Amino acid sequence: MTAQMSEPPVLREAPAPPPGRIRGRSAAALAVIAGCNAMIQLDDPIVNTALPGMREGLGLSAVGASWVINAYLLAFGGLLLLGGRAGDILGRRAVFVTGVALFTAAASLRGLVPSTEALVAVRAVQGAGAALAAPSGLALLLSTFGEGVSRKRAIAVCTTVGAVSTAGGLLLAGTLTSLSSWRWVLFLDVPLGLAILLAAPLVLDETARHRGRFDLAGALLSALGAASLVYGLAQAAERPWSHPAVAGCVLGGLALLAVFAAVERRAQQPVVVPRLFSDRTRLLAYLGTLAVPGALIGTYFFLNQYFQQQHGWSALATACALLPLPVAMAVTSTVAVRLEQRAGARRMWIAGAALLASGNLWLATLEPGDGYAVTVLPALVLLGAGMAFSVLPPTVLATSGLRGDEAGAAASVLNALQSVGGSIGLATLVMVATHTGGMAGGFTTSAFFAGLVLLAALLLGRRR
């Protein structure tokens, strides 16, 4: 069933600047889009650092603490596809600003909440805001920068800013947690969100509002299917795969997504255009995007516990120890475009996957008595460089050759794959680590995910 939308005036697409350096209004637009990406990425270290204080201050149970994370993931993962389609129909700038406003409002309220229920509700609203802002931000980048060097540079800038925000988030969250209340940590996103809201109407051009309908059946099926799958995978990190909350949700989510795919093939104006999946290169880019989070997510998960529980380090000391990873990623991202132009996307992607595999296998040999500078630091540098080389090629390949009304859908698919990939990766790593008795098995599994990225890169045509 579909609901007919009123037909707003059609606006002209903003002309893409010629290839070359990013200057003037385009640079300001990129700053806003990259700032939104940074704000969303900054949220993860903020919440994870504040979670122990939340549990003590609000009396959160283990289940309540998990819902602080899951409420965000469910809303974010479930609404991503709808968020991308909304930008195509209603205007990407309008949906982007709405998403940032929701995210910022929720971020400003969560530090004031008096109860577990209120915190979970606010986190769900925050996830919904991110689901609107993230795909619309990427779609705005695609409409602002034409295919070629300028778009690759814009994607590299977003990657760099995201890495820097992760580094800054680790430091700020660790410092504030050590010096003050967990509630102050939760306000770190707010100034950035307010700055984006003020700047976005001034530097972002509204895109054409493509006449169309909201595919309500497809939107509902995609939201329920993705949310069920993400929840089941999140539960698998703590429960066996045979548990009803895991097996039931994962199988139910897959079944709903299968029905969604069948409905989309017959829909006149689907939430996700089936044509996006007909190109072999794009499919390989999607596979790489799905696998990349699993190659990195174990680093923060396992090393946080290793430093704090086995070595007794503070949250701030642990944050400083992890800094080389995002710093290496940020530094490498600054030269990624130049290297991609010389070596090609395929070779760069292969190199990135190999670095990710090497870094994880290096960490798999980590013993409690090993020195940080000898074992951990080199691996973090390898992982940071590997991520920089593994993000640009699939993003460029997956967003090339699109029509004007497909950018939002393509952006939402990329974001959805990253979200689901993170859930799959964490659940698998924790399961393996639990059954093998340590984090060595988890890092070995991360190397397996890097191997999947390598496979996708190797299957690309040699000309790329």
Side-chain angles (χ1 to χ4, degrees):
M1 181 182 294
T2 58
Q4 178 69 45
M5 300 293 297
S6 59
E7 298 182 355
V10 178
L11 303 179
R12 293 182 180 179
E13 293 277 1
R21 294 185 178 180
I22 301 171
R23 297 174 176 173
R25 186 178 176 86
S26 295
L30 177 58
V32 169
I33 296 168
C36 176
N37 181 52
M39 180 181 69
I40 293 174
Q41 291 196 38
L42 177 64
D43 194 68
D44 185 58
I46 287 175
V47 173
N48 280 287
T49 302
L51 198 56
M54 292 182 197
R55 294 193 64 173
E56 182 178 352
L58 296 177
L60 288 178
S61 63
V63 174
S66 69
W67 271 106
V68 172
I69 305 297
N70 288 336
Y72 178 90
L73 292 177
L74 290 176
F76 181 61
L79 296 175
L80 268 171
L81 297 182
L82 181 60
R85 179 60 174 160
D88 288 338
I89 295 177
L90 303 177
R92 292 165 196 152
R93 187 182 69 179
V95 174
F96 175 81
V97 171
T98 300
V100 173
L102 283 175
F103 189 97
T104 306
S108 64
L109 289 174
R110 65 185 178 180
L112 304 172
V113 293
S115 66
T116 302
E117 294 77 12
L119 179 59
V120 170
V122 166
R123 287 286 288 162
V125 173
Q126 195 176 12
L132 294 175
S136 296
L138 180 54
L140 282 166
L141 183 148
L142 300 180
S143 62
T144 302
F145 301 95
E147 292 187 21
V149 178
S150 60
R151 178 177 293 182
K152 293 175 183 178
R153 285 177 176 162
I155 293 172
V157 167
C158 285
T159 303
T160 302
V161 172
V164 171
S165 73
T166 300
L170 286 169
L171 279 178
L172 288 172
T175 302
L176 285 176
T177 300
S178 301
L179 299 178
S180 61
S181 167
W182 61 270
R183 292 185 180 272
W184 287 105
V185 177
L186 297 179
F187 291 118
L188 286 176
D189 275 334
V190 178
L192 183 55
L194 293 175
I196 293 170
L197 288 175
L198 290 173
L202 302 177
V203 301
L204 295 178
D205 292 319
E206 183 58 282
T207 57
R209 301 182 184 183
H210 298 280
R211 294 186 177 90
R213 301 177 178 181
F214 277 111
D215 176 14
L216 295 185
L220 181 62
L221 286 169
S222 68
L224 292 177
S228 178
L229 181 61
V230 169
Y231 178 75
L233 291 170
Q235 291 300 302
E238 301 176 347
R239 297 173 175 175
W241 286 86
S242 58
H243 193 281
V246 178
C249 289
V250 170
L251 293 176
L254 291 174
L256 286 169
L257 291 176
V259 175
F260 165 70
V263 168
E264 295 302 276
R265 283 197 295 268
R266 295 191 296 269
Q268 291 184 348
Q269 296 181 1
V271 174
V272 176
V273 184
R275 191 184 78 86
L276 294 176
F277 302 92
S278 63
D279 181 78
R280 178 176 175 273
T281 297
R282 188 174 288 116
L283 281 176
L284 290 173
Y286 286 160
L287 172 62
T289 300
L290 181 67
V292 161
L296 184 67
I297 197 168
T299 306
Y300 290 106
F301 181 81
F302 291 121
L303 290 186
N304 262 296
Q305 299 177 64
Y306 174 78
F307 290 137
Q308 295 189 49
Q309 295 179 7
Q310 294 194 31
H311 288 272
W313 292 9
S314 66
L316 180 57
T318 299
C320 291
L322 292 173
L323 274 181
L325 196 161
V327 170
M329 185 176 176
V331 171
T332 309
S333 295
T334 60
V335 299
V337 175
R338 189 176 304 170
L339 290 175
E340 192 269 347
Q341 287 180 276
R342 293 180 178 179
R346 182 175 183 269
R347 290 179 180 176
M348 181 178 179
W349 205 5
I350 290 172
L355 289 171
L356 287 175
S358 300
N360 278 297
L361 291 176
W362 195 316
L363 288 174
T365 67
L366 184 62
E367 298 290 342
D370 289 344
Y372 170 83
V374 175
T375 306
V376 179
L377 178 60
L380 293 180
V381 173
L382 289 175
L383 289 170
M387 279 300 293
F389 288 163
S390 298
V391 170
L392 178 63
T395 304
V396 171
L397 294 171
T399 55
S400 298
L402 300 173
R403 296 198 300 259
D405 60 344
E406 294 174 344
S412 64
V413 170
L414 272 177
N415 280 280
L417 289 172
Q418 291 169 355
S419 176
V420 173
S423 297
I424 292 174
L426 182 59
T428 306
L429 265 59
V430 172
M431 177 191 68
V432 172
T434 301
H435 285 84
T436 60
M439 65 181 182
F443 283 122
T444 303
T445 306
S446 287
F448 168 78
F449 280 102
L452 293 178
V453 179
L454 179 61
L455 177 63
L458 289 172
L459 290 175
L460 281 177
R462 288 189 179 275
R463 70 183 186 277
R464 296 183 180 278

